Amino acid sequence: MCINLKIVSRAVVPVVLSLALSACGGGGAKVESINTTTTMGQELMDLDASYKQGLLTEDEYNKARKKIMERYDQ
């Protein structure tokens, strides 16, 4: 009985690699990314316009404004 090493390696290598890479899951680390195409000024102007149109309460406006300022302060 002759075993063809090329055939065996084609079957074994992908299995070994997939098992090795499956352990690279990260341990539950939470990764967040915020991408925005607007500037802080534009966000604040949009927020102000929404507030002036009555779409937000004063409390909602202040909270949202604070979040925007904090996000750009980093």
Side-chain angles (χ1 to χ4, degrees):
M1 182 168 141
C2 179
I3 299 175
N4 189 337
L5 290 178
K6 286 183 180 181
I7 294 173
V8 172
S9 65
R10 285 184 186 165
V12 173
V13 171
V15 172
V16 171
L17 285 176
S18 66
L19 289 174
L21 293 175
S22 68
C24 297
K30 184 177 179 183
V31 177
E32 269 187 47
S33 177
I34 298 174
N35 293 325
T36 181
T37 58
T38 59
T39 63
M40 178 176 65
Q42 184 62 52
E43 286 189 54
L44 291 172
M45 289 190 310
D46 292 344
L47 181 65
D48 188 57
S50 295
Y51 175 65
K52 287 179 179 175
Q53 291 175 12
L55 301 174
L56 300 170
T57 65
E58 185 174 355
D59 187 49
E60 291 170 327
Y61 169 80
N62 289 329
K63 286 179 182 177
R65 185 175 188 282
K66 183 178 178 184
K67 283 184 180 182
I68 292 169
M69 299 294 285
E70 287 173 352
R71 191 169 66 241
Y72 284 93
D73 190 38
Q74 297 176 5

